[in-house]
Amino acid sequence: MIKKFHITILFFMFIQLSFGQKTSTFQDSIATYFDEIKTEANKHQQLWEKNLYEPILLVNPNSRQIFANFPDSVGILKQNGKIYSGILPGKINIANTAVNWNGRRWAMIMFPLPTNKQDRINLLAHELFHVSQPSLGFKLFNTENNHLDQKDGRIYLRLELEALKKALQTNNKTEQKTHLTNALAFRKYRYSLYPGADTSENLLELNEGIAEYTGSIISGRNRKQSSGHFVQSINSFLSNPTFVRSFAYQTIPIYGYLLDSAKKGWNREITIKTNLADYFIKAFDITLPNDLKKSTDLIVNQYNGKAIISEEKTREEKTKKLIAGYKSKFITQPHFELVFEQMNVSFDPRNIVPIEDKGTVYPNIRVTDKWGILTVENGALMSSKWDKISVTTPLKMENKNINGEGWTLELNDGYSVAKDETTGNYKLTKK
């Protein structure tokens, strides 16, 4: 039987916002945020031939207080001037995502919001695209790209991004095309190293890459600001522990931005069947060399290749040790395995660790299911089939509250935890 589940991806923001300001001032700010995105969405209706301004939930992840621009269908949200407010139920995971709740499809965005207006609008527009995504003909894909946590996968993604940075930083069309050609050569060579990578990367880019391109256009940045934003975004991205779920936020917005000057409205040609890499190769009129390995070897050092390769070799050795520890912790040693029934999950995609064919370790993750709420702050192993999650063995069990090393489980009625005396593993049982 195929289990139904919903996945939301959690991005933590770094910009601080004070919640100690006066209520009236704060609510005025909320109304201003809604007005900002409403104005820009209306101004950019031609982007998708649709006004993307839709219901929005702004959420304080600590108090679960929510502020909205529309009412809900059951009256949890109470009107206060131009906005609506209430408390988000505990069973709903908090994330930057699109969510169906109380009769509407919402863009959910966590506080604190970016202090920079254009970054703020970019974020809201990205999530609003996800709200309209189904009606625009795009499915919401959830794909693993674990090859981007391997040495060569990371090397050739980083080289692609370095080439894109140079394409952004030149006004010479010939030089720009050369850098775009090299970026796509690095990409195509990466695909040749990992069978199936072209499909899995493309699915995530159709989901998150197109959404981020949409956000970047609606943000209202001029061309100089956009170029600077993308370069800064790549530099920040490269400090992430892993690239497997967040690379699409960098690639497609840049290719799309650079294509805009020659082919405005290109995005409306994209469908769920489009191979984006092939689309951009054709759109930029690029011819790639037949021998990708030979040609990329010749240009590696134009894009900081020597340093990148050295850094990735060092990282690979550290990662091997980290993976060995996780395999012992969640596979070899006794552990607690929770099988999903109707799962909803939110997590930070920037620091996950793929473990061969066993699944992926998520250092921070929150799971809600029929059996309760699992909150993890020190690692859990998600199976490769997304049908179960493993944490360390329980240390303390009091009624419905189960605690382990860096995790807590709030158990619902009708469920209990049992130990297998033979293996030492724990599992959930249904009464």
Side-chain angles (χ1 to χ4, degrees):
M1 182 173 132
I2 299 176
K3 297 181 176 67
K4 293 183 179 179
F5 60 88
H6 302 279
I7 300 165
T8 55
I9 299 180
L10 176 62
F11 267 104
F12 294 104
M13 308 298 294
F14 296 107
I15 304 163
Q16 297 302 309
L17 177 72
S18 171
F19 285 90
Q21 54 193 302
K22 293 181 180 178
T23 302
S24 60
T25 303
F26 182 64
Q27 289 178 345
D28 288 343
S29 297
I30 300 298
T32 298
Y33 300 155
F34 291 145
D35 287 341
E36 288 173 350
I37 184 61
K38 184 177 183 179
T39 298
E40 292 301 323
N42 182 63
K43 190 184 299 183
H44 291 86
Q45 289 189 57
Q46 80 287 353
L47 183 62
W48 289 105
E49 296 180 341
K50 181 184 190 322
N51 191 331
L52 294 182
Y53 187 70
E54 296 281 1
I56 300 169
L57 292 176
L58 303 180
V59 189
N60 180 340
N62 297 318
S63 67
R64 303 188 72 85
Q65 186 174 19
I66 47 180
F67 301 91
N69 57 339
F70 284 87
D72 65 317
S73 62
V74 300
I76 286 181
L77 299 174
K78 306 301 181 184
Q79 187 168 5
N80 191 339
K82 295 181 179 180
I83 65 176
Y84 301 82
S85 61
I87 300 296
L88 190 69
K91 66 180 180 179
I92 306 296
N93 286 323
I94 298 174
N96 290 342
T97 187
V99 60
N100 295 314
W101 177 68
N102 283 5
R104 292 189 186 275
R105 183 167 173 80
W106 305 82
M108 181 191 292
I109 298 97
M110 298 185 300
F111 285 120
L113 299 183
T115 53
N116 176 275
K117 178 182 177 180
Q118 292 163 331
D119 292 346
R120 187 164 59 244
I121 293 172
N122 194 143
L123 172 61
L124 268 65
H126 175 113
E127 301 307 338
L128 282 169
F129 172 84
H130 286 313
V131 173
S132 294
Q133 193 168 343
S135 67
L136 292 171
F138 291 91
K139 294 181 180 178
L140 281 73
F141 295 108
N142 172 52
T143 56
E144 302 288 349
N145 284 280
N146 290 349
H147 64 283
L148 294 180
D149 207 55
Q150 297 182 29
K151 176 171 66 70
D152 287 339
R154 287 177 57 91
I155 286 172
Y156 286 96
L157 175 61
R158 289 182 63 179
L159 289 168
E160 178 185 2
L161 293 174
E162 290 298 324
L164 286 177
K165 280 166 61 176
K166 289 200 172 185
L168 286 164
Q169 292 169 320
T170 180
N171 292 319
N172 184 298
K173 291 298 181 183
T174 301
E175 289 181 4
Q176 186 178 90
K177 187 171 181 178
T178 296
H179 293 310
L180 282 168
T181 300
N182 293 341
L184 288 160
F186 288 133
R187 171 178 284 239
K188 282 290 189 175
Y189 182 60
R190 180 172 74 247
Y191 289 168
S192 73
L193 298 176
Y194 302 98
D198 55 343
T199 298
S200 62
E201 287 190 23
N202 190 61
L203 289 175
L204 191 61
E205 288 180 320
L206 283 170
N207 192 33
E208 298 297 348
I210 297 295
E212 184 61 15
Y213 165 77
T214 300
S216 69
I217 296 301
I218 293 179
S219 72
R221 299 184 188 96
N222 61 33
R223 295 198 66 79
K224 182 178 180 181
Q225 290 169 330
S226 292
S227 179
H229 164 75
F230 288 130
V231 170
Q232 183 181 23
S233 181
I234 289 175
N235 292 337
S236 298
F237 165 79
L238 292 173
S239 66
N240 290 347
T242 188
F243 303 153
V244 300
R245 280 190 172 271
S246 50
F247 75 95
Y249 284 73
Q250 311 303 320
T251 53
I252 300 309
I254 297 174
Y255 285 117
Y257 161 76
L258 293 173
L259 184 57
D260 273 342
S261 59
K263 193 174 184 180
K264 206 76 173 177
W266 65 267
N267 55 290
R268 293 193 297 276
E269 297 180 354
I270 306 302
T271 72
I272 58 171
K273 296 181 179 180
T274 303
N275 180 297
L276 289 167
D278 291 342
Y279 178 88
F280 287 123
I281 288 170
K282 183 177 180 180
F284 286 117
D285 191 26
I286 284 172
T287 301
L288 293 179
N290 293 324
D291 190 336
L292 286 170
K293 184 180 189 316
K294 182 179 179 180
S295 61
T296 53
D297 282 348
L298 291 173
I299 59 174
V300 159
N301 288 331
Q302 295 179 35
Y303 301 101
N304 202 30
K306 186 176 181 180
I308 288 173
I309 292 169
S310 175
E311 289 167 6
E312 291 305 327
K313 285 181 178 178
T314 300
R315 179 187 182 275
E316 183 182 40
E317 293 306 312
K318 292 180 179 178
T319 301
K320 285 179 180 178
K321 295 178 182 178
L322 182 64
I323 289 174
Y326 280 141
K327 288 173 71 173
S328 175
K329 189 175 184 179
F330 298 120
I331 300 172
T332 308
Q333 296 179 12
H335 53 273
F336 181 16
E337 191 173 278
L338 297 90
V339 176
F340 299 137
E341 296 180 32
Q342 192 172 355
M343 172 266 280
N344 187 294
V345 58
S346 63
F347 55 86
D348 184 343
R350 298 168 307 167
N351 59 0
I352 60 180
V353 182
I355 308 295
E356 300 163 3
D357 61 344
K358 305 299 182 184
T360 302
V361 172
Y362 291 79
N364 307 97
I365 191 166
R366 186 178 192 264
V367 181
T368 60
D369 205 309
K370 288 183 177 180
W371 36 254
I373 301 174
L374 175 69
T375 304
V376 177
E377 296 178 350
N378 194 30
L381 176 64
M382 177 73 76
S383 69
S384 57
K385 294 181 179 179
W386 282 72
D387 59 352
K388 61 185 178 181
I389 191 166
S390 298
V391 293
T392 54
T393 55
L395 298 176
K396 188 176 181 181
M397 293 190 283
E398 292 182 349
N399 298 320
K400 297 297 180 181
N401 295 315
I402 319 297
N403 294 276
E405 181 188 350
W407 62 265
T408 59
L409 172 63
E410 301 169 48
L411 209 56
N412 287 337
D413 291 338
Y415 293 87
S416 60
V417 178
K419 180 181 180 180
D420 184 324
E421 296 299 337
T422 303
T423 64
N425 291 335
Y426 288 76
K427 63 180 181 180
L428 287 176
T429 60
K430 188 185 292 189
K431 296 178 182 177

